[in-house]
Amino acid sequence: MTQKDQIDSQGFAIINNVYNENEINTLISLIDDTTQNNPENRTFRKSQDLFAIRQFHNEIPETLPFIFNQKLLDIIKTNFGENYFITKSIYFDKPEKSNWFVAYHQDLTISVNKKIEVENFENWTVKQNQFAVQPPAAILENNFTIRIHIDKTTKDNGALKVINNSHSKGILRIEKLDFGKEKETICEVQKGGIMIMKPLLFHASNKTTNNERRRVIHIEFSKQELPEGLEWSEKMVLQN
């Protein structure tokens, strides 16, 4: 089964050895420099269980040449084709003693530039002056997410759990899933590896139990234009 076949049929794929040690160390250095020099930045979220940077590609654009190395560009082109752009990015740092966990859910919202009434765009929210909305399922079905693992991620430090093929069921309430009949996979990823997933794939994350840090760069992609004056608020076109 090819990576593309696995993404289409299961909703996710794990690919290790996308980044070498030097590339990972460079990313860590660039992130650390920014966070230490701008501790009060409004896009930073900090607690004892989680540190996060929203709009990561805008906040630390210096990382982009290292994130989009030739290996990643080839993976995107082989599995999805061309003309994709970034629509959202978040950096997650789950500390060694984190009790942070996330229950099973689908990623149902996108970030847009303003709130306007558009058919089938619903459940509007606003956070830190950024609008989010749930678009029609067709938009979500054609998008994808890449999670870049800066640390080794295992079941003991919060690796994602997914319900295989759940992305094929459309937008669904979790109660509608019969867990007795579904296959669950724990997505362990090596340092320097990536996980690709579809937004409608049900996924969750457990608490950390092994005192090992987990840092991930989460990037969402689309190639679809939005209707009636809506724009992706974090859109960035990839430079090949």
Side-chain angles (χ1 to χ4, degrees):
M1 182 183 293
T2 66
Q3 291 166 4
K4 185 177 188 307
D5 290 339
Q6 184 179 356
I7 295 164
D8 290 343
S9 65
Q10 301 300 308
F12 71 98
I14 294 167
I15 307 170
N16 286 311
N17 301 312
V18 177
Y19 301 94
N20 61 37
E21 193 75 22
N22 286 338
E23 289 169 323
I24 291 296
N25 288 338
T26 299
L27 289 173
I28 291 171
S29 177
L30 290 168
I31 293 167
D32 287 348
D33 285 348
T34 297
T35 56
Q36 290 165 9
N37 292 329
N38 301 279
E40 303 303 320
N41 190 302
R42 67 179 178 83
T43 65
F44 297 178
R45 171 187 166 192
K46 187 173 180 60
S47 72
Q48 65 180 7
D49 290 324
L50 175 70
F51 176 75
I53 302 174
R54 298 181 182 277
Q55 302 182 38
F56 176 79
H57 63 286
N58 289 324
E59 291 295 337
I60 318 182
E62 300 86 355
T63 60
L64 292 175
F66 300 96
I67 290 172
F68 290 96
N69 64 12
Q70 196 58 51
K71 282 188 177 180
L72 189 69
L73 291 172
D74 290 344
I75 287 167
I76 293 172
K77 184 175 181 179
T78 299
N79 290 291
F80 301 101
E82 299 180 325
N83 302 317
Y84 278 89
F85 47 82
I86 298 171
T87 62
K88 183 190 293 186
S89 66
I90 309 172
Y91 167 73
F92 294 107
D93 181 352
K94 192 172 182 179
E96 294 88 334
K97 298 184 184 300
S98 175
N99 286 316
W100 183 60
F101 72 96
V102 180
Y104 266 113
H105 66 286
Q106 297 171 298
D107 290 340
L108 296 180
T109 63
I110 60 173
S111 298
V112 296
N113 62 327
K114 58 187 174 183
K115 180 178 180 179
I116 56 177
E117 293 302 318
V118 180
E119 187 177 2
N120 296 322
F121 283 72
E122 54 193 22
N123 299 327
W124 287 87
T125 60
V126 60
K127 186 181 294 183
Q128 296 174 325
N129 298 317
Q130 178 135 317
F131 293 99
V133 65
Q134 181 177 320
I139 289 180
L140 297 171
E141 288 167 352
N142 286 291
N143 292 353
F144 66 93
T145 297
I146 292 179
R147 293 168 59 88
I148 298 161
H149 287 253
I150 291 176
D151 300 297
K152 180 180 179 181
T153 304
T154 70
K155 61 182 176 61
D156 298 319
N157 70 337
L160 284 193
K161 303 181 296 184
V162 303
I163 302 298
N164 297 45
N165 193 39
S166 54
H167 70 301
S168 68
K169 304 177 189 295
I171 296 173
L172 194 67
R173 292 182 65 87
I174 187 67
E175 305 88 67
K176 298 292 185 181
L177 278 182
D178 182 351
F179 279 85
K181 296 180 179 178
E182 302 291 348
K183 179 182 178 183
E184 180 184 79
T185 297
I186 298 176
C187 299
E188 298 188 316
V189 186
Q190 294 295 316
K191 178 180 180 179
I194 67 170
M195 177 184 177
I196 302 173
M197 59 181 284
K198 301 293 286 182
L200 295 183
L201 184 76
F202 273 96
H203 57 286
S205 175
N206 287 344
K207 298 177 182 179
T208 295
T209 60
N210 65 354
N211 290 327
E212 290 186 3
R213 193 176 186 181
R214 191 201 78 181
R215 289 169 289 183
V216 174
I217 300 170
H218 168 113
I219 307 178
E220 300 177 13
F221 297 85
S222 184
K223 64 176 179 180
Q224 303 169 89
E225 298 302 325
L226 300 175
E228 300 181 37
L230 273 183
E231 299 287 347
W232 302 93
S233 63
E234 298 180 47
K235 180 177 179 179
M236 180 178 287
V237 177
L238 301 180
Q239 301 297 321
N240 289 317

